[in-house]
Amino acid sequence: MSLQVETLEKNMAKLTIEVSAEEVESALQRAYQKQKSKISIPGFRKGKVPRQMVEKMYGVGVFYEDAANDMIPAAYEKAASESELEIVSQPKIEVVQIEKGKEFIFTAEVAVKPEVELGEYKGVEVPKSETEVTEEDIMAEIDKEREQNSRIITVDDRAVEDGDMTVIDFEGFVDGEAFEGGKGEDYPLTIGSHSFIDTFEEQLIGKNIGEETEVNVTFPEEYHAEELKGKPALFKVTVKEIKKKELPELDDDFVEDVSEFSTVAEYKDSIKNKIEERKAKEAKAAKEDAAIEKIIENAKMEIPEPMIETQVRQMAEDFSRRLSQQGLSVEQYFQYTGLTADMLLEQMKPQALKRIQSRLVLEAIAKAEEIQISEEELEKEIQDMASAYQMEADKLKTLLTEKDKENMKSDIAVSKAADLVAESAKEV
């Protein structure tokens, strides 16, 4: 195999790869062996037709495509390694020559990792994040817990109020005529949920169980039923049941039921501490993100389009896996959202670009700062990964290649670079 490397514009390169005629012949023979059981020619038993006869009947190039597909992966992988380029995209393959008795020549156009010219990256100014915990923050968390421990009770001694869960019968009329889909019995409706059109729910406030009332509404202009768009309607409604959500009192008994604490004061202190920890993490992440965004603005780099496309494909594959874990297929997701595959990929492009830019500047900072990763740090990372996968660290080590370990070191260095820029950033 021989290789020529041509540098193109915008961090692209073209590899011209030549495979010997002997290897071409071997690939053609393998293609014949693979297909011969499917070939039938009068006068020969199926699977026994000589290769020369097949080539004579169907043309000398009958096995070229299979032979090329057989040779390209290994030849490209070897060429990519020999080129010593940092390739960051899938190759765009083009066959230049394939002919019996001659060398096989093909090209692979690839994106190459861009060089980064760093600007200012220490002490960049970022917005200050709010980390103070207010009484409202604490009560909002406690109210969530009270909601989870609430109970539904039946109300029979008062009229409907906002927030009540009702059961109603209704029938709708337009121009005095009942319309299709406008009737319901034993229909559950939460007042204030805005699940019915216009002011329907508000007009039920103050109505009693068993009381029939008339509700006047107007269908919106964008309503799905063409014959009802913009039309005024009258609904005859009867409230059959009223229920409400009753929250437990915030007292020591409640605290003992839902936590390890005995008093409201202790419980509120624990909630405050949790919120402080969460806000501190969020503030650290926001500071780091803002600092990296500034550093990207200060840096110079040219990102090749195929590198972005490769990142988008990886993100789409990750997205598909997450959907699958939730029991949903990509096709179902498209049906629910109205998106197409192309629309989804286009939506992912800005995030893909930002991920690439962030990684490149942080790698450049790690290099500029000469950040080195010790074997002890790598060992800790392996231990953490093993714990995450619930397996023995020694078992995990046997599965890791040297390239895997180098990638892990690179990830740790990038993380250290992110910490460095975040710590040095000035909040204003």
Side-chain angles (χ1 to χ4, degrees):
M1 188 197 81
S2 65
L3 168 67
Q4 289 182 335
V5 179
E6 180 185 355
T7 301
L8 306 176
E9 294 181 342
K10 298 182 179 180
N11 291 305
M12 298 293 292
K14 180 189 281 187
L15 311 182
T16 301
I17 304 158
E18 187 174 305
V19 180
S20 70
E22 290 78 15
E23 290 180 73
V24 173
E25 176 56 31
S26 297
L28 287 169
Q29 184 62 20
R30 287 194 296 272
Y32 161 69
Q33 293 292 341
K34 182 180 177 182
Q35 292 191 36
K36 69 177 185 178
S37 63
K38 305 171 188 174
I39 299 170
S40 180
I41 292 179
F44 295 91
R45 283 187 297 156
K46 195 171 185 179
K48 298 296 184 179
V49 184
R51 179 179 147 194
Q52 293 81 359
M53 182 62 71
V54 178
E55 290 173 339
K56 185 176 180 181
M57 286 285 294
Y58 296 103
V60 72
V62 65
F63 299 119
Y64 283 177
E65 184 177 348
D66 278 0
N69 291 336
D70 179 38
M71 290 184 283
I72 286 171
Y76 169 72
E77 186 177 345
K78 185 178 180 185
S81 177
E82 289 183 7
S83 73
E84 297 184 350
L85 297 173
E86 286 195 77
I87 296 171
V88 290
S89 73
Q90 293 297 314
K92 182 181 178 183
I93 302 292
E94 186 174 330
V95 173
V96 177
Q97 174 180 290
I98 181 167
E99 192 173 336
K100 191 176 179 181
K102 293 186 178 181
E103 292 80 7
F104 172 51
I105 303 171
F106 70 99
T107 60
E109 196 169 306
V110 295
V112 179
K113 186 176 180 179
E115 290 290 331
V116 177
E117 184 182 331
L118 287 171
E120 181 185 20
Y121 64 86
K122 286 183 180 178
V124 295
E125 293 185 346
V126 298
K128 187 172 184 178
S129 298
E130 184 57 62
T131 57
E132 181 186 356
V133 179
T134 65
E135 182 68 17
E136 288 76 15
D137 293 331
I138 296 169
M139 288 310 301
E141 287 295 318
I142 291 174
D143 285 343
K144 287 180 188 176
E145 190 66 44
R146 291 174 69 205
E147 282 276 352
Q148 291 176 4
N149 287 272
S150 64
R151 63 191 184 103
I152 306 299
I153 61 171
T154 299
V155 176
D156 54 16
D157 59 351
R158 63 165 174 78
V160 175
E161 294 180 359
D162 191 24
D164 282 345
M165 291 167 280
T166 65
V167 175
I168 63 172
D169 289 346
F170 63 89
E171 186 172 14
F173 301 85
V174 170
D175 297 329
E177 297 290 331
F179 58 88
E180 186 178 351
K183 186 174 183 179
E185 294 182 353
D186 296 328
Y187 189 90
L189 176 64
T190 298
I191 308 302
S193 65
H194 304 293
S195 55
F196 265 39
I197 60 168
D198 203 11
T199 59
F200 186 102
E201 294 165 28
E202 289 90 329
Q203 293 181 58
L204 296 183
I205 294 174
K207 307 305 177 185
N208 292 299
I209 293 173
E211 177 183 351
E212 183 178 273
T213 185
E214 292 185 353
V215 172
N216 291 284
V217 295
T218 301
F219 282 97
E221 292 293 341
E222 65 276 9
Y223 196 68
H224 62 84
E226 190 68 34
E227 68 278 8
L228 298 176
K229 287 182 177 180
K231 293 284 186 71
L234 179 146
F235 282 87
K236 294 181 178 179
V237 184
T238 302
V239 177
K240 300 178 74 175
E241 291 181 27
I242 302 174
K243 294 181 180 181
K244 71 172 184 176
K245 186 182 290 185
E246 185 175 74
L247 302 183
E249 289 294 323
L250 176 57
D251 54 24
D252 292 348
D253 289 339
F254 168 75
V255 168
E256 287 184 345
D257 285 342
V258 300
S259 76
E260 59 190 285
F261 303 100
S262 302
T263 67
V264 172
E266 291 174 330
Y267 182 53
K268 290 179 77 171
D269 282 343
S270 73
I271 296 292
K272 182 180 180 182
N273 291 336
K274 286 179 183 177
I275 298 174
E276 283 175 342
E277 288 178 12
R278 186 182 73 228
K279 284 197 171 188
K281 287 180 181 177
E282 290 171 351
K284 182 177 183 293
K287 184 180 180 182
E288 184 179 296
D289 289 345
I292 292 171
E293 196 165 327
K294 280 281 187 180
I295 292 163
I296 290 171
E297 289 175 12
N298 297 338
K300 292 179 182 178
M301 55 186 144
E302 189 172 27
I303 312 297
E305 190 63 28
M307 186 178 187
I308 300 172
E309 291 169 0
T310 298
Q311 180 68 51
V312 167
R313 280 196 297 271
Q314 290 174 353
M315 289 167 59
E317 289 168 5
D318 290 342
F319 180 68
S320 177
R321 277 193 292 271
R322 290 197 300 274
L323 285 178
S324 180
Q325 289 168 358
Q326 297 169 19
L328 196 67
S329 69
V330 177
E331 290 74 20
Q332 289 171 318
Y333 174 80
F334 289 153
Q335 286 178 349
Y336 297 150
T337 62
L339 290 175
T340 64
D342 288 342
M343 290 165 65
L344 179 64
L345 295 177
E346 194 62 33
Q347 284 183 3
M348 288 179 169
K349 268 192 173 182
Q351 187 184 355
L353 176 60
K354 185 58 65 70
R355 284 190 186 183
I356 292 168
Q357 291 172 324
S358 299
R359 179 77 186 199
L360 289 175
V361 296
L362 291 173
E363 286 179 346
I365 291 167
K367 184 177 179 181
E369 293 291 321
E370 298 182 347
I371 295 175
Q372 301 294 322
I373 306 305
S374 67
E375 289 302 316
E376 289 75 14
E377 288 172 309
L378 176 61
E379 179 68 24
K380 183 181 182 304
E381 186 70 13
I382 292 172
Q383 293 282 354
D384 291 344
M385 184 181 289
S387 296
Y389 285 108
Q390 297 183 333
M391 62 187 298
E392 295 292 329
D394 289 340
K395 174 66 175 175
L396 177 59
K397 287 178 189 176
T398 64
L399 303 175
L400 295 174
T401 65
E402 286 304 313
K403 186 176 181 180
D404 291 332
K405 292 177 183 177
E406 286 305 312
N407 288 338
M408 290 175 72
K409 284 186 176 181
S410 177
D411 289 343
I412 300 169
V414 163
S415 180
K416 283 190 167 187
D419 289 341
L420 183 151
V421 299
E423 289 165 6
S424 69
K426 299 172 184 174
E427 291 183 309
V428 294

